Amino acid sequence: MSDWLVRGGAVLRGTVSVQGSKNAALPILAATLLTEEPVTLLNCPRIRDVENMLRILESLGCTVKREGDALTVDSRTASSFVLPTALSGELRSSIFLLGSVLARFGEADAPYPGGCEIGNRPIDLHLAGLRRLNASIEERDGRIRCRGGNLSGAVVDLDYPSVGATENLMLAACRAAGETTIKNAACEPEIVDLEKFLCACGFRVHGAGTPTIVIESVKRGHGATFRIMPDRIVAGTYLLGAAITGGDVTVTGAQPETVDTLLYRLKECGCIVTQRAESLRVQAGGRLKSVGFTATRPYPGFPTDLQPQLFAALSTADGTSVIAENVFENRFRHAQELKKMGAENRIVDRTAIITGVKRLHGAQVVAHDLRGGAALVLAGLKAEGETRILRAERIERGYERMDSVIAQLGGTVTRKE
Ligand code: EPZ
């Protein structure tokens, strides 16, 4: 467990390059089991969630090797279809392995996934979809046992455009007999990256980024070298860092089109946003202006993973802002922590009413989840005095060396193990 000390009164200035995407890397790592040949990934972030996924792949018999920016996963030696309880219980994305392990071995045995406690997070859509592909599934003693020696293509119409269910079904369908069509699929950019990876390995997938994805059967994939997309949520976090501290930050290696809903809000707050092909610059002058209403929605709506960081920024804005969290039931736990720092907000069901204050002050707060923790770092940089963030290891699940990146921008975050 680690605590972070954040020194207040910072004004973030400078240029940083964005890390690889956690939410693209995790399903892609699960997909490496489909190829039965070595795969090399470039730009795979060095974060806790990725390390956990690699440990799980090793427990199934894969060989993992990192050399510089290249991460090689060799699944030729994989032999087990039983996912380890402890490691999988730490990681929501372990659920993706259900689809790829089933496709590879015809069987899978997994515990329920863990991860951030930001809502109930059921997996009913995952299981219903796998059953449509002819898998038989038994849930007993806290484990999910799947048999699917004869997975066959089908039309799966998702009740909700779930990111995880879409990705899991793409993996399971790659080697299923016949053709699979996923309707009402999630359209997140990370799903497009997964499709690109699968096609690089010789699988036939198209339509990612639209609500209809089609997967044609391929018996066997092959090895590939693939560069993982930049992390749009991490890029957005540092840009909001510029906004809240009144600074000037450029993020290189970003894909501006994947964060345009955030850029729109930053302009509404009074920031100057400069967009180049692969970089984004945010210059914040005086006090931020409040933003009327923001609702989180599946892509291309405003991402729920940037809601806490925007919440922190709007806590110092001039005026009242309203945020509706439509994706997860319990994703306002940062609100009470920000109140300990002098923020003013009210939560009514899944809506937050944020009354901006001129000053925040340092305090001892808790990172209840990954993005909520990142929001507290931003608030701590803005606040007067020092902020101590408990359970900060939760932030390391998704941010690579956040303390050094903040130092590069002129701020100070110290880790206390
Ligand atoms: C992915 O989670 C991301 N995680 C999340 O990022 C992100 O917040 C979320 O998508 C939405 O964008 C990864 O990609 C590893 P969902 P996932 O299935 O797949 C309900 C972060 O901070 N649902 O789209 O779990 C569910 O309860 C993380 O990086 C069902 O009801 O998201 C939720 O309310 C946090 N039944 C909603 O759908 C199901 O079977 C969205 O979930 C599946 C989901």
Side-chain angles (χ1 to χ4, degrees):
M1 296 228 272
S2 69
D3 297 353
W4 285 7
L5 299 180
V6 184
R7 190 183 303 160
V11 178
L12 298 187
R13 289 186 198 289
T15 300
V16 287
S17 65
V18 66
Q19 65 180 65
S21 165
K22 166 180 87 76
N23 291 348
L26 294 168
I28 286 173
L29 284 167
T32 59
L33 278 166
L34 296 173
T35 66
E36 296 191 42
E37 286 187 21
V39 159
T40 297
L41 301 176
L42 305 173
N43 202 32
C44 189
R46 292 172 187 268
I47 53 176
R48 275 174 186 248
D49 276 9
V50 164
E51 296 316 313
N52 277 343
M53 182 62 99
L54 294 175
R55 297 295 82 71
I56 297 176
L57 288 171
E58 283 175 334
S59 77
L60 299 177
C62 296
T63 317
V64 170
K65 200 173 63 193
R66 261 199 198 269
E67 274 164 334
D69 183 37
L71 169 70
T72 301
V73 179
D74 184 348
S75 73
R76 284 177 294 186
T77 47
S79 55
S80 169
F81 59 78
V82 180
L83 273 60
T85 307
L87 276 170
S88 309
E90 292 259 327
L91 189 62
R92 169 79 187 179
S93 307
S94 60
I95 194 70
F96 298 143
L97 289 159
L98 213 52
S100 59
V101 169
L102 194 55
R104 169 76 181 261
F105 297 110
E107 273 190 86
D109 183 330
Y112 289 92
C116 280
E117 290 158 22
I118 51 182
N120 305 335
R121 308 192 80 175
I123 55 169
D124 55 320
L125 300 175
H126 297 244
L127 302 186
L130 290 173
R131 285 192 174 102
R132 285 283 298 129
L133 299 185
N134 202 25
S136 69
I137 301 178
E138 194 197 352
E139 297 177 72
R140 191 159 44 85
D141 310 329
R143 295 196 69 93
I144 309 153
R145 290 188 176 79
C146 306
R147 287 184 190 288
N150 305 310
L151 288 182
S152 52
V155 175
V156 181
D157 205 334
L158 292 174
D159 293 345
Y160 177 90
S162 152
V163 173
T166 301
E167 293 167 336
N168 217 343
L169 295 171
M170 285 166 76
L171 300 184
C174 273
R175 295 171 58 154
E179 183 178 279
T180 295
T181 303
I182 306 173
K183 292 191 168 176
N184 195 27
C187 302
E188 269 67 7
E190 293 77 17
I191 294 175
V192 177
D193 216 41
L194 176 60
E195 175 184 281
K196 287 181 185 161
F197 171 74
L198 291 170
C199 292
C201 296
F203 294 104
R204 290 206 209 111
V205 187
H206 62 266
T210 78
T212 305
I213 300 176
V214 177
I215 304 106
E216 293 160 51
S217 170
V218 169
K219 277 241 162 323
R220 221 182 145 83
H222 53 70
T225 296
F226 184 80
R227 184 174 185 80
I228 290 178
M229 68 176 281
D231 196 309
R232 61 192 170 105
I233 305 299
V234 171
T237 302
Y238 293 125
L239 295 174
L240 280 159
I244 194 172
T245 62
D248 178 349
V249 168
T250 299
V251 174
T252 59
Q255 295 172 334
E257 67 284 3
T258 63
V259 283
D260 54 10
T261 50
L262 172 69
L263 303 181
Y264 176 78
R265 281 190 176 53
L266 286 166
K267 289 174 195 158
E268 266 194 294
C269 284
C271 298
I272 300 168
V273 175
T274 313
Q275 221 169 303
R276 301 246 181 284
E278 287 203 355
S279 78
L280 281 165
R281 180 180 183 188
V282 167
Q283 296 163 271
R287 189 171 175 198
L288 297 178
K289 287 186 237 150
S290 61
V291 169
F293 180 69
T294 302
T296 66
R297 295 192 196 293
Y299 193 88
F302 188 87
T304 172
D305 296 345
L306 282 173
Q307 176 262 99
Q309 301 92 315
L310 178 69
F311 193 125
L314 294 175
S315 297
T316 66
D318 183 6
T320 301
S321 310
V322 177
I323 298 180
E325 174 51 62
N326 294 307
V327 179
F328 290 106
E329 308 86 3
N330 184 21
R331 200 167 205 179
F332 280 137
R333 299 177 76 188
H334 43 280
Q336 83 224 14
E337 301 306 318
L338 288 166
K339 276 187 176 172
K340 294 176 188 168
M341 302 176 73
E344 280 178 32
N345 58 61
R346 211 155 44 84
I347 307 298
V348 182
D349 195 17
R350 289 168 70 166
T351 302
I353 296 119
I354 305 163
T355 308
V357 296
K358 278 209 176 87
R359 282 181 199 76
L360 294 175
H361 54 75
Q364 179 162 299
V365 293
V366 181
H368 292 291
D369 53 69
L370 163 61
R371 308 301 174 183
L376 295 174
V377 172
L378 299 188
L381 290 164
K382 171 69 181 175
E384 287 160 6
E386 185 175 78
T387 296
R388 187 181 194 102
I389 303 178
L390 309 183
R391 304 306 308 268
E393 72 279 0
R394 290 171 173 155
I395 306 170
E396 294 161 359
R397 291 193 36 229
Y399 291 85
E400 191 176 307
R401 296 175 305 101
M402 193 179 204
D403 49 344
S404 330
V405 174
I406 299 276
Q408 226 177 305
L409 296 172
T412 306
V413 173
T414 318
R415 300 151 52 116
K416 296 275 180 215
E417 290 308 332

